[in-house]
Amino acid sequence: MKVINILVLLLMLPPVTMGMERIAFISSLSGNWELYTVDSTGRNLKQLTNTIEDERWPSFSPDGKRIVFGNNRGELLLISTEGGNLEKIKVKPGNYSRPVWSPDNSRIIYTSIISVVPEDSNVWEIPIEKDKFLEEREFIFEKGMENFITFSKDGNKLIYSLFMPPREKVLKQDLMLFDINGRSFKKLLSDGYDNSQNVWLPDSSMIVYVSNRSGSYQIWSMNIDGSGSKQLTKTLGYNGNPCCSPDGKEIAFVSNRTGSEQLWIMDIDGSNQHQITFPPGEAKDPVWR
């Protein structure tokens, strides 16, 4: 009987694909928020960190060999994607969050929190030359709280969310486009709602983001010119933290529709939504490579 039950469970699991991409994410599975990787089928779960801090916001290096991430102490750290070789990036003391590695390996961008009340931050960069990290420097400095910075495929543009204080009863965030070479800004989306957690599709033709315009936080997509908005999730509860597969055909995201925040995957058009992580523990901050 036990053998039959095991066979049934194995048949229910998705097939293993050789050379499959990995999703890095943060999980409380061990009792603390640690960094993990998993296949897109939910197989081959691997814990990379075991620290007393809470890890957050992983981002893969362009070659996929390292991950930069932050923690609840405002530090920036590096680790091998196989685990081990954990090191802190030497930057001036501060409160740093959401590091992201540029596609051309020329820089790591991150948010530096200046003040919480009123909300204010700037975007900083750590230049990289011949795999060496140079001294950090300010990259974008404007009034407000910049967050969720993501690169276009060629590394020449950034999309990020911008919150402008003072805080009102309803949180409002705009989506901004920044041209790195031209040092110019463009407002992509400003509709009076909380729009954030934005990511590019790999071909940079569209972005996927999170908005509460439908009454709850759901995942949307739109063209890079701001047209063609489409709601991809419509379930009760929270749906957010999207990231795109390398081929642009799928989206990994976080949902609490089953009672706890877990990783889910859907096709780029919102179809075929299915869960890949399960309790105990919760999951957040996925990034796909």
Side-chain angles (χ1 to χ4, degrees):
M1 190 69 173
K2 288 183 178 179
V3 174
I4 294 174
N5 288 338
I6 291 171
L7 287 173
V8 170
L9 287 172
L10 287 173
L11 288 171
M12 291 174 63
L13 288 171
V16 178
T17 303
M18 298 304 292
M20 185 173 296
E21 304 97 350
R22 304 285 286 169
I23 297 173
F25 68 104
I26 306 301
S27 174
S28 60
L29 180 62
S30 68
N32 197 45
W33 290 105
E34 303 290 351
L35 176 61
Y36 289 77
T37 59
V38 70
D39 289 344
S40 59
T41 61
R43 295 174 181 267
N44 298 318
L45 180 69
K46 184 171 185 176
Q47 183 175 346
L48 301 186
T49 63
N50 184 17
T51 71
I52 60 173
E53 290 82 25
D54 290 336
E55 271 51 281
R56 292 299 306 270
W57 318 298
S59 176
F60 283 103
S61 62
D63 62 9
K65 294 181 179 180
R66 291 183 292 177
I67 297 172
V68 61
F69 62 99
N71 63 22
N72 61 329
R73 296 180 60 182
E75 300 171 321
L76 302 178
L77 303 99
L78 291 170
I79 196 169
S80 164
T81 51
E82 298 303 318
N85 300 320
L86 178 64
E87 60 179 296
K88 293 179 183 178
I89 299 179
K90 295 179 181 179
V91 291
K92 297 173 184 176
N95 186 7
Y96 307 131
S97 69
R98 302 191 185 281
V100 58
W101 216 308
S102 68
D104 60 0
N105 198 38
S106 65
R107 54 173 63 94
I108 291 174
I109 297 285
Y110 60 96
T111 299
S112 175
I113 309 299
I114 298 173
S115 65
V116 178
V117 181
E119 291 92 339
D120 193 16
S121 70
N122 284 332
V123 178
W124 284 65
E125 71 165 339
I126 302 171
I128 303 173
E129 289 185 5
K130 297 180 180 179
D131 268 350
K132 291 184 178 180
F133 296 115
L134 306 183
E135 185 175 358
E136 73 274 18
R137 61 193 181 196
E138 209 164 25
F139 192 69
I140 300 177
F141 38 93
E142 60 175 340
K143 184 180 179 181
M145 182 74 76
E146 300 94 351
N147 223 334
F148 299 102
I149 309 158
T150 56
F151 281 94
S152 59
K153 183 178 181 180
D154 60 11
N156 293 327
K157 293 182 176 65
L158 300 174
I159 288 179
Y160 61 94
S161 64
L162 177 64
F163 167 73
M164 295 294 290
R167 179 182 290 271
E168 302 176 6
K169 291 183 179 179
V170 178
L171 178 62
K172 300 176 183 178
Q173 292 191 86
D174 299 333
L175 296 186
M176 305 291 296
L177 176 68
F178 179 65
D179 187 307
I180 294 175
N181 296 326
R183 305 294 299 180
S184 61
F185 298 87
K186 178 183 178 182
K187 192 171 289 188
L188 286 181
L189 182 60
S190 179
D191 59 4
Y193 292 101
D194 185 13
N195 304 296
S196 64
Q197 300 181 31
N198 39 274
V199 294
W200 298 79
L201 261 67
D203 65 2
S204 300
S205 64
M206 298 178 65
I207 64 169
V208 176
Y209 64 102
V210 175
S211 178
N212 64 349
R213 71 164 64 97
S214 65
S216 62
Y217 284 98
Q218 302 292 338
I219 299 174
W220 295 67
S221 65
M222 73 175 183
N223 298 323
I224 193 60
D225 62 3
S227 66
S229 288
K230 179 182 179 180
Q231 186 174 346
L232 302 180
T233 59
K234 299 178 181 179
T235 64
L236 294 175
Y238 170 80
N239 293 284
N241 272 187
C243 65
C244 295
S245 62
D247 62 9
K249 294 180 179 180
E250 294 178 295
I251 298 169
F253 63 101
V254 173
S255 179
N256 65 1
R257 68 185 69 176
T258 56
S260 64
E261 292 192 349
Q262 301 295 336
L263 293 189
W264 287 65
I265 287 180
M266 62 180 167
D267 292 345
I268 196 67
D269 62 0
S271 63
N272 192 29
Q273 297 184 20
H274 56 281
Q275 187 174 347
I276 67 165
T277 65
F278 300 86
E282 295 192 306
K284 59 186 177 183
D285 299 340
V287 59
W288 200 333
R289 190 189 190 283

